[in-house]
């Protein structure tokens, strides 16, 4: 009789342990996920992107200008881009405006100075402006010389005569960081 009671106890202990393990698994599966951490709002960024870094003389280099607002609504962006006119050239027709703003009142290329200037603004009727990450413009440069070159975004914090991303809340420049583009023309 005692050996039977011992076997029953052992069996009961195993059953209880299995039930505890199953209960823990069930509770873990049905527990709600932890709350997501919200990323803090950051400043704006302008990034220059090309398909590759190395090009041959005579090739067209398609440069995408992307704007990130850091989670803040914006009313406009100004880009002042500098390039080496001995290595690259472009034309006003080589600048294609993006779709993040409803109006692009300025698109100009100066091959003597080596500058591209583009301005995009939200329509007065569009109250919210642009918020997010999007293509501000695309510029088709032609490689006319050889060497290493950098497309540089003119930017100084809080200076309004260079590149800017303007927030809707207080019409202040929220641009914090720019990413230039290094190229090698062979």
């Amino acid at each position: 009789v005692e050996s039977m009671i011992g076997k029953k106890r052992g069996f009961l202990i195993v059953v209880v342990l299995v039930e505890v393990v199953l209960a823990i698994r069930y509770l873990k599966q049905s527990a709600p996920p932890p709350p997501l951490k919200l990323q803090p709002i950051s400043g704006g960024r302008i990034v220059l992107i090309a398909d590759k870094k190395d090009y041959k003389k005579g090739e067209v280099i398609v440069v995408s200008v992307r704007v990130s607002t850091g989670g803040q609504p914006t009313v406009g962006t100004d880009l002042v881009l500098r390039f080496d006119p001995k290595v690259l050239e472009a034309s006003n027709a080589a600048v294609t405006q993006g779709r993040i703003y409803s109006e692009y009142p300025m698109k100009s290329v100066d091959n003597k100075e080596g500058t591209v200037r583009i301005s995009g603004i939200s329509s007065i009727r569009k109250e919210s402006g642009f918020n997010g990450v999007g293509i501000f413009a695309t510029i088709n440069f032609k490689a006319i010389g050889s060497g290493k070159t950098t497309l540089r975004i003119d930017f100084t914090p809080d200076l309004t005569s260079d590149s800017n991303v303007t927030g809707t809340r207080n019409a202040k420049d929220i641009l914090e960081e720019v990413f230039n583009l290094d190229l090698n023309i062979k």
Side-chain angles (χ1 to χ4, degrees):
V1 175
E2 266 184 46
S3 75
M4 237 175 158
I5 293 175
K7 286 182 185 179
K8 284 184 181 180
R9 263 192 206 154
F11 178 73
L12 285 174
I13 290 173
V14 170
V15 169
V16 169
L17 287 175
V18 168
E19 285 184 14
V20 168
V21 169
L22 290 175
I24 290 171
R25 280 189 185 168
Y26 175 77
L27 289 174
K28 281 185 177 180
Q29 288 176 352
S30 62
L36 297 175
K37 280 189 170 183
L38 295 176
Q39 295 296 322
I41 292 178
S42 64
R45 289 173 177 73
I46 299 176
V47 181
L48 302 177
I49 300 169
D51 290 339
K52 55 187 181 177
K53 298 285 183 193
D54 296 317
Y55 291 88
K56 293 179 183 172
K57 192 173 169 183
E59 274 190 273
V60 173
I61 303 163
V62 180
V63 177
S64 176
V65 181
R66 293 196 184 164
V67 170
S68 170
T69 67
Q72 302 179 60
T74 63
V75 293
T77 295
D78 297 316
L79 174 72
V80 178
L81 177 65
R82 301 214 180 264
F83 63 93
D84 184 347
K86 293 176 187 168
V87 180
L88 302 172
E89 72 176 6
S91 68
N92 288 342
V95 177
T96 305
Q97 70 188 38
R99 295 185 178 175
I100 62 175
Y101 296 109
S102 55
E103 299 174 33
Y104 285 77
M106 179 196 251
K107 294 186 296 181
S108 73
V109 176
D110 185 332
N111 282 308
K112 287 182 183 176
E113 283 187 22
T115 59
V116 176
R117 296 176 189 276
I118 307 169
S119 291
I121 57 173
S122 291
S123 169
I124 295 172
R125 289 168 280 205
K126 189 177 178 185
E127 295 177 22
S128 63
F130 171 69
N131 186 356
V133 178
I135 296 177
F136 176 69
T138 303
I139 307 161
N140 294 327
F141 286 95
K142 183 175 181 183
I144 59 170
S146 300
K148 292 186 179 199
T149 189
T150 299
L151 296 172
R152 283 187 176 28
I153 300 169
D154 241 2
F155 169 63
T156 303
D158 299 322
L159 183 66
T160 58
S161 60
D162 62 359
S163 300
N164 298 281
V165 177
T166 306
T168 58
R169 292 191 180 109
N170 55 12
K172 186 177 178 186
D173 182 10
I174 64 165
L175 184 59
E176 285 185 356
E177 193 172 14
V178 298
F179 295 88
N180 298 318
L181 180 62
D182 295 323
L183 299 169
N184 187 29
I185 313 299
K186 297 177 183 182

